[in-house]
């Protein structure tokens, strides 16, 4: 059976095959955990997915919701007569089934920005970027057309509006449902959405971002027998915003033991398997400053010099975006003319957020 699979896809390039495999292995709809044993146990499903996704060496249907309509984990019943393709494949809109009905029509929009930051030991910003994602959860009946308006700088230039509150988006990528020609012409994001949850678009901003949470650390060793660490954390965003579930991981020598902590807020915990102190702050309002002190004993014999890992920070700030991007409007057009409720949520979170130390 495996030889048949390989032979039927001789036209498939190595790159396409790798992309197909990555697509399959990353879909939790079919596999909770992808291991050698799970692939072996579900070989028939893997075969069917590969056969549908890559047809004659070319990528075809890759939407997991559509694939689930006719490739299931349960047994298939043999149907008499010629097989008919799923309705979604013969529709003009292949990513959405017809006849979807809901009692309450709603659209939830999550605009999430992740901040990637690298600060040198001297305090200068070496890397700064914002990766944004616009995610939707669509609970709409029929075949609606949605039009999403953002404070896009290019759109404001076309319409002659004030550009002071606009955002310049780079590296924009859209879901296949978006009409790209319409966006290129007048920057309108127009689309017929899939049913349920999906990522509408992603973007990237290569701008100098002021560190939202600034960390200063001082590490002092005394006679090679003990070490004291002082960490100061300062929130550098507006007072009306609050960072939730802040975690500051401070590296300590691998041979340290007997920890003692003192914090002005939150709690500190030693994770010996990772050689870090994890300082957790549940709520960190803007414009605040907190301190953490840690004391460790060290062996009397000094070992080799260790590498100095950076301090890492995790956080999430609701109702806030670094770039200032905003949803200006969401228009929902459907022939039945029903009313729908749009909900918008803004979240800024840490991505790869690191601050180096010279201690």
């Amino acid at each position: 059976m495996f030889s048949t699979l390989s032979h039927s896809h001789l036209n498939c390039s190595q790159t396409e095959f790798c992309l197909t495999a990555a697509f399959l292995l990353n879909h939790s709809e079919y596999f909770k955990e992808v291991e050698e044993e799970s692939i072996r146990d579900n070989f028939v499903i893997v075969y069917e997915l590969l056969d549908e996704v890559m047809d004659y060496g070319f990528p075809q249907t890759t939407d997991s919701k559509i694939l689930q309509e006719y490739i299931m984990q349960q047994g298939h019943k043999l149907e008499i007569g010629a097989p008919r393709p799923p309705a979604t494949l013969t529709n003009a809109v292949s990513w959405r089934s017809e006849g979807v009905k809901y009692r309450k029509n709603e659209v939830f929009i999550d605009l999430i920005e992740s901040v990637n930051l690298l600060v040198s030991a001297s305090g200068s910003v070496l890397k700064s970027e914002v990766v944004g994602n616009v995610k939707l959860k669509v609970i709409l009946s029929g075949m609606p057309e949605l039009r999403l308006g953002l404070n896009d700088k290019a759109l404001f230039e076309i319409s002659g509006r004030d550009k002071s509150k606009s955002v310049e988006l780079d590296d924009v990528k859209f879901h296949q449902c978006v009409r790209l020609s319409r966006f290129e012409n007048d920057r309108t994001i127009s689309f017929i959405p899939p049913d349920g949850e999906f990522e509408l678009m992603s973007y990237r901003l290569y701008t100098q971002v002021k560190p939202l949470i600034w960390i200063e650390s001082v590490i002092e060793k005394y006679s090679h027998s003990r070490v004291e660490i002082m960490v100061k954390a300062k929130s550098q965003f507006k007072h009306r915003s609050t960072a939730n579930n802040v975690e500051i991981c401070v590296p300590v020598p691998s041979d340290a033991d007997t920890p003692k902590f003192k914090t002005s807020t939150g709690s500190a915990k030693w994770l010996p398997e990772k050689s870090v102190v994890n300082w957790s702050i549940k709520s960190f309002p803007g414009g605040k400053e907190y301190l953490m002190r840690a004391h460790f004993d060290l062996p009397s014999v000094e070992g080799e010099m260790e590498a100095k890992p950076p301090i890492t920070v995790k956080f999430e700030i609701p109702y806030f975006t670094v770039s200032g991007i905003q949803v200006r409007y969401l228009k929902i057009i459907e022939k039945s003319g029903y009313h729908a409720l749009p909900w918008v949520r803004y979240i800024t979170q840490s991505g790869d957020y690191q601050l180096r130390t010279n201690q």
Side-chain angles (χ1 to χ4, degrees):
M1 193 173 188
F2 188 81
S3 61
T4 305
L5 172 65
S6 302
H7 182 72
S8 65
H9 290 278
L10 288 176
N11 293 330
C12 177
S13 68
Q14 186 176 4
T15 303
E16 289 171 339
F17 187 83
C18 291
L19 288 172
T20 306
F23 162 77
L24 294 173
L25 300 182
N26 281 292
H27 271 285
S28 59
E29 290 89 344
Y30 288 99
F31 305 102
K32 291 183 179 179
E33 293 184 4
V34 180
E35 298 177 352
E36 182 180 349
E37 187 175 348
S38 63
I39 295 294
R40 192 181 296 114
D41 292 343
N42 296 278
F43 179 79
V44 174
I45 298 172
V46 173
Y47 177 88
E48 290 181 347
L49 286 168
L50 281 169
D51 194 43
E52 292 297 337
V53 173
M54 298 299 297
D55 198 3
Y56 297 101
F58 298 99
Q60 300 294 324
T61 304
T62 58
D63 193 301
S64 61
K65 288 183 171 57
I66 297 173
L67 289 170
Q68 280 186 297
E69 290 185 15
Y70 56 101
I71 299 180
M72 306 175 185
Q73 289 178 302
Q74 300 174 353
H76 298 274
K77 294 182 180 179
L78 181 62
E79 295 183 1
I80 300 174
R84 290 182 295 177
T88 48
L89 294 184
T90 56
N91 288 344
V93 182
S94 62
W95 53 85
R96 184 179 179 91
S97 301
E98 292 184 354
V100 179
K101 291 183 179 180
Y102 291 103
R103 292 182 61 184
K104 188 177 182 181
N105 294 283
E106 297 177 301
V107 179
F108 298 88
I109 305 174
D110 280 350
L111 209 156
I112 304 170
E113 291 190 340
S114 299
V115 180
N116 297 328
L117 187 76
L118 178 60
V119 179
S120 69
S122 61
S124 58
V125 177
L126 302 177
K127 175 186 176 183
S128 173
E129 67 176 9
V130 177
V131 179
N133 300 93
V134 180
K135 298 182 179 181
L136 271 66
K137 182 179 181 181
V138 176
I139 308 174
L140 296 175
S141 304
M143 196 67 69
E145 178 182 345
L146 275 61
R147 294 174 187 172
L148 179 67
L150 304 173
N151 56 334
D152 179 20
K153 185 177 180 180
L155 173 62
F156 278 40
E157 288 177 347
I158 294 172
S159 58
R161 295 186 177 130
D162 182 13
K163 295 183 293 183
S164 61
K165 294 184 179 181
S166 63
V167 178
E168 186 172 4
L169 305 178
D170 297 320
D171 194 18
V172 180
K173 297 178 182 177
F174 290 107
H175 186 275
Q176 62 174 328
C177 66
V178 176
R179 297 185 177 94
L180 295 180
S181 58
R182 180 80 183 269
F183 180 78
E184 291 170 358
N185 289 335
D186 57 12
R187 306 294 286 191
T188 299
I189 304 174
S190 177
F191 57 98
I192 296 175
D195 185 43
E197 298 181 13
F198 71 101
E199 183 177 297
L200 176 67
M201 63 178 287
S202 64
Y203 59 89
R204 193 179 298 265
L205 299 175
Y206 300 97
T207 56
Q208 192 76 2
V209 178
K210 182 179 181 180
L212 298 174
I213 296 181
W214 182 256
I215 305 294
E216 295 179 9
S217 66
V218 177
I219 302 176
E220 294 184 3
K221 288 186 177 181
Y222 297 93
S223 304
H224 311 301
S225 61
R226 61 189 178 93
V227 61
E228 289 187 359
I229 303 172
M230 188 190 75
V231 178
K232 180 170 68 173
K234 183 179 180 181
S235 55
Q236 300 189 136
F237 46 86
K238 295 180 180 180
H239 290 73
R240 64 172 178 265
S241 297
T242 300
N244 297 328
N245 303 318
V246 179
E247 291 188 8
I248 302 169
C249 291
V250 184
V252 298
S254 58
D255 55 353
D257 58 20
T258 320
K260 296 177 183 178
F261 303 111
K262 185 178 181 181
T263 62
S264 59
T265 190
S267 60
K269 183 179 180 181
W270 180 40
L271 304 177
E273 69 279 4
K274 297 181 180 179
S275 298
V276 298
V277 172
N278 185 280
W279 181 16
S280 300
I281 304 173
K282 190 173 182 179
S283 181
F284 201 148
K288 293 289 185 179
E289 186 175 295
Y290 298 123
L291 293 174
M292 187 273 290
R293 295 179 183 272
H295 177 278
F296 289 90
D297 290 338
L298 295 174
S300 57
V301 179
E302 184 177 12
E304 297 180 0
M305 293 293 292
E306 297 180 356
K308 300 169 184 175
I311 296 173
T312 61
V313 185
K314 294 181 180 179
F315 58 85
E316 184 176 283
I317 308 175
Y319 317 112
F320 173 80
T321 57
V322 182
S323 66
I325 193 169
Q326 292 180 347
V327 174
R328 295 175 47 245
Y329 63 84
L330 178 67
K331 296 180 180 179
I332 302 171
I333 305 168
E334 215 279 329
K335 61 182 181 181
S336 62
Y338 60 72
H339 294 286
L341 296 173
W343 306 90
V344 183
R345 181 173 61 172
Y346 300 95
I347 299 174
T348 292
Q349 61 188 16
S350 57
D352 186 13
Y353 198 103
Q354 300 183 0
L355 299 97
R356 293 176 179 172
T357 174
N358 55 8
Q359 300 294 328

